[in-house]
Amino acid sequence: MDGMKPAMENNAEDSQEENQESKGCFECCIKCLGGVPYASLVATILCFSGVALFCGCGHVALTGTLTMLENHFSRVPTDHATLANVVQILQYIIYGIAPFFFVYGIVLLAEGFYTTSAVKDLQNEFKTSVCGRCITGMFVFLTYILGLAWLGIFGFSAVPVFLFYNMWTTCNAMKSPVANITSPENICVDVRQYGVIPWNATPGKACGSTLGDICNTSEFYLSYHLYIVACAGAGATVIALIHYLMILAANWAYLKDACQTHAYQDIKTKDDQELTDVQSRSKEAINSYS
């Protein structure tokens, strides 16, 4: 029986060490999860999704729109040369928007991690700097400007949705038996009135059965729905930037409060040290006289 006691004690010690290790790992995981800026993470995912939808769907929709115009509304290349250049410029802009917002989202997420750590460690040795607050303030200003820009992009992306919707509604009206249209050939869609192509472009418009055939093409169907998705992506990006703006404003306020707290703690520590020094010198003086 005596020989079994040391073995039992060793097993108990091993189990205690294992429990401490598992507890330490669990506490470490909880601490790591507590330091994750979930608000910034949600905003980043929403921003990435919105920008990806807008850039991907917008690029394909522009190509399909140009193909549809070349095949049905402007068969002379010189008539839509300006439109082709504008489409190419917009596609190049899309090429720049995608990587920029990928990097910008990562930077804002990193800033969220930094600020979350600052708030969690207010009572420890963590020190905020003036440079950190200035960077956060700069992000607030930049995000505000980008939010206004994306609000304009959202409004601009709704224009082709409106044009394609009018065309799609006209095609459905001709096909509807309720409409009872006696001369569908007189119903036309003239894209020249929207300023898409010049007035001297030929044919410039589509009427009756020709219009119905255009609405049944893959270019029209795909471009119409892609424009809708691109517009939704732009709206999601606007919401993400507004979310970022609220987070950054809160982070800037947290950093400012943290700086004031640390300044107060430094002054209090200095006063306590001076008081301790005065008390020590007083005791030394009393001991010397005695």
Side-chain angles (χ1 to χ4, degrees):
M1 296 295 292
D2 293 338
M4 294 179 62
K5 290 182 179 180
M8 294 176 63
E9 292 177 355
N10 291 333
N11 292 333
E13 292 177 356
D14 293 339
S15 62
Q16 290 179 358
E17 291 178 356
E18 291 177 357
N19 291 332
Q20 291 178 355
E21 290 179 357
S22 61
K23 184 178 180 181
C25 182
F26 178 76
E27 292 178 351
C28 181
C29 293
I30 294 298
K31 185 177 181 180
C32 291
L33 292 176
V36 174
Y38 293 102
S40 297
L41 185 61
V42 171
T44 302
I45 294 174
L46 184 61
C47 182
F48 285 174
S49 302
V51 172
L53 289 175
F54 174 79
C55 293
C57 296
H59 185 277
V60 179
L62 287 172
T63 304
T65 302
L66 186 59
T67 302
M68 186 181 67
L69 289 174
E70 290 176 350
N71 294 335
H72 305 286
F73 294 97
S74 178
R75 296 188 178 93
V76 180
T78 55
D79 292 340
H80 59 267
T82 302
L83 178 63
N85 293 331
V86 172
V87 169
Q88 189 176 15
I89 291 172
L90 291 176
Q91 289 178 340
Y92 283 140
I93 292 174
I94 288 174
Y95 295 150
I97 288 176
F100 173 79
F101 273 90
F102 176 79
V103 176
Y104 191 68
I106 294 297
V107 171
L108 290 183
L109 183 61
E111 195 274 343
F113 274 101
Y114 164 78
T115 308
T116 302
S117 300
V119 174
K120 294 292 184 181
D121 299 335
L122 283 179
Q123 305 299 328
N124 296 334
E125 298 298 326
F126 190 93
K127 297 291 183 181
T128 59
S129 62
V130 176
C131 181
R133 297 196 305 276
C134 290
I135 291 175
T136 302
M138 181 192 68
F139 282 143
V140 171
F141 175 76
L142 183 58
T143 304
Y144 179 76
I145 298 299
L146 292 175
L148 292 179
W150 270 98
L151 192 61
I153 293 174
F154 174 68
F156 178 77
S157 62
V159 174
V161 175
F162 173 74
L163 299 180
F164 274 78
Y165 175 76
N166 286 341
M167 190 171 175
W168 176 75
T169 304
T170 304
C171 292
N172 286 341
M174 289 190 302
K175 298 176 182 178
S176 176
V178 181
N180 193 16
I181 299 175
T182 57
S183 56
E185 295 298 328
N186 294 329
I187 299 177
C188 302
V189 171
D190 193 345
V191 297
R192 294 174 297 184
Q193 64 182 342
Y194 300 115
V196 178
I197 54 178
W199 281 104
N200 58 355
T202 56
K205 64 179 181 178
C207 303
S209 59
T210 304
L211 178 60
D213 294 337
I214 294 173
C215 291
N216 292 328
T217 58
S218 60
E219 291 86 2
F220 176 83
Y221 183 83
L222 183 61
S223 298
Y224 177 41
H225 290 84
L226 287 179
Y227 276 127
I228 295 175
V229 177
C231 184
T237 306
V238 172
I239 295 174
L241 290 174
I242 294 175
H243 197 176
Y244 272 134
L245 191 60
M246 294 187 294
I247 294 169
L248 290 169
N251 290 346
W252 185 85
Y254 289 153
L255 290 177
K256 184 178 179 181
D257 293 340
C259 181
Q260 293 176 352
T261 301
H262 286 305
Y264 172 76
Q265 291 177 348
D266 292 339
I267 294 173
K268 184 178 179 181
T269 302
K270 184 177 180 181
D271 293 340
D272 293 341
Q273 185 64 36
E274 290 178 355
L275 181 61
T276 303
D277 294 339
V278 170
Q279 291 177 350
S280 299
R281 288 196 295 269
S282 299
K283 291 181 180 179
E284 291 177 356
I286 293 173
N287 293 331
S288 61
Y289 285 120
S290 59

